[in-house]
Amino acid sequence: MGKYDQPVRRPAAVAGASSGIGAETARSLAAAGFPVALGARRLDRCEEVAAEIRNAGGEAVAHQLDVASDESVAKFAAKAAADLGDIEVVVSNAALIGPGALLETDSSRLADEVDVNLLGPHRLVRAFVPGMVERRRGDIVFVSSDVALRARPFMGGYSATKAGLEGLVASLQMELEGTGVRASVVRPGPTWSEMGMDWSPEAAAKVLNEWLKWGHARHSHFLKASAIADVITSVVSAPRGVHLSPVDVNPEAPVESS
């Protein structure tokens, strides 16, 4: 195989694959021919998506994964490789978000967001990327958010951790220069997913009204999670020698009648 060839088989591991962007990314990758290992705390949901992929003719397995645990990440990485072979693609999508004013938020809850949203991706790097560097190829994609560039009120922990994540990835990209391993950021704008669905209607309304107040929402359209998934598949499918990062994905405004 030449220096810039890709193997025909490129197994992928998706963290946070039980719903939303993660589940759709697993579906999109599988449809594009990638064998997929799905990981999340809700293993039953991952198993359902994996079964759906297999029924559609794809190759998929599911294993428990808590990115806040070194041990869980290591076990998931070992099981994914045992099932599918060397992991060529990793999607870091697991995330935690809670609404609330910073003045009223316990530091312990902020610490939970840091553990999942910032340290979790680093655990995935430690588990998967050294092998990629040895093989001189591989993709790791980090799902960020538009809040990394422009913080939103009542989402202080999420905004801070996504900004921190992009700082982490910027350093990682420099360290990986010349290794053949691509670390990429995909930065979704407003997207329909289960994140925030556990908020009370009152909390959600307050947050959305503040977004409008600060000019964060120009229009009412949100992206479908599948749109982000297809972008992630495109990023990791780029030919070697081409690096797509960062990629901003935003909903188009409603088309006005002429």
Side-chain angles (χ1 to χ4, degrees):
M1 192 166 71
K3 186 184 289 188
Y4 282 94
D5 292 340
Q6 292 279 31
V8 174
R9 180 183 170 82
R10 296 188 69 207
V14 181
S18 59
S19 66
I21 292 171
E24 291 296 338
T25 297
R27 293 185 180 102
S28 179
L29 287 169
F34 293 80
V36 183
L38 294 84
R41 288 181 297 180
R42 294 183 295 180
L43 180 57
D44 57 332
R45 295 285 295 274
C46 288
E47 293 277 17
E48 288 173 16
V49 178
E52 179 189 314
I53 288 170
R54 291 192 296 269
N55 290 339
E59 185 178 357
V61 296
H63 294 293
Q64 189 93 34
L65 173 62
D66 178 1
V67 298
S69 161
D70 289 7
E71 182 183 9
S72 178
V73 172
K75 284 183 176 179
F76 173 76
K79 288 177 178 177
D83 284 341
L84 303 178
D86 291 336
I87 300 300
E88 296 277 332
V89 172
V90 174
V91 179
S92 173
N93 172 70
L96 186 63
I97 183 172
L102 288 167
L103 293 181
E104 299 163 4
T105 300
D106 291 337
S107 294
S108 61
R109 203 203 77 193
L110 279 183
D112 289 341
E113 289 188 68
V114 170
D115 207 9
V116 171
N117 301 352
L118 185 57
L119 301 182
H122 181 249
R123 291 183 181 99
L124 294 171
V125 168
R126 292 275 290 156
F128 288 102
V129 176
M132 293 180 178
V133 171
E134 283 182 23
R135 294 187 293 275
R136 311 310 274 178
R137 65 177 187 270
D139 279 283
I140 181 164
V141 177
F142 300 86
V143 179
S144 182
S145 168
D146 60 356
V147 303
L149 302 184
R150 191 172 175 216
R152 297 190 182 208
F154 302 103
M155 296 174 68
Y158 192 67
S159 297
T161 53
K162 289 301 188 181
L165 173 64
E166 294 212 13
L168 189 85
V169 179
S171 290
L172 179 64
Q173 288 171 335
M174 289 185 273
E175 294 173 16
L176 292 175
E177 185 87 6
T179 65
V181 181
R182 301 182 294 202
S184 306
V185 169
V186 170
R187 193 185 289 140
T191 305
W192 292 115
S193 75
E194 286 192 10
M195 288 180 63
M197 292 299 106
D198 56 345
W199 301 358
S200 70
E202 294 77 18
K206 182 177 181 180
V207 169
L208 289 172
N209 284 331
E210 284 291 324
W211 287 6
L212 293 170
K213 172 184 169 183
W214 291 99
H216 288 290
R218 297 194 320 277
H219 57 78
S220 59
H221 277 196
F222 276 55
L223 290 161
K224 292 181 179 178
S226 58
I228 309 299
D230 289 343
V231 169
I232 291 169
T233 298
S234 296
V235 167
V236 303
S237 299
R240 296 203 66 189
V242 177
H243 187 193
L244 303 176
S245 181
V247 181
D248 285 279
V249 191
N250 288 288
E252 184 182 10
V255 176
E256 299 172 359
S257 56
S258 55

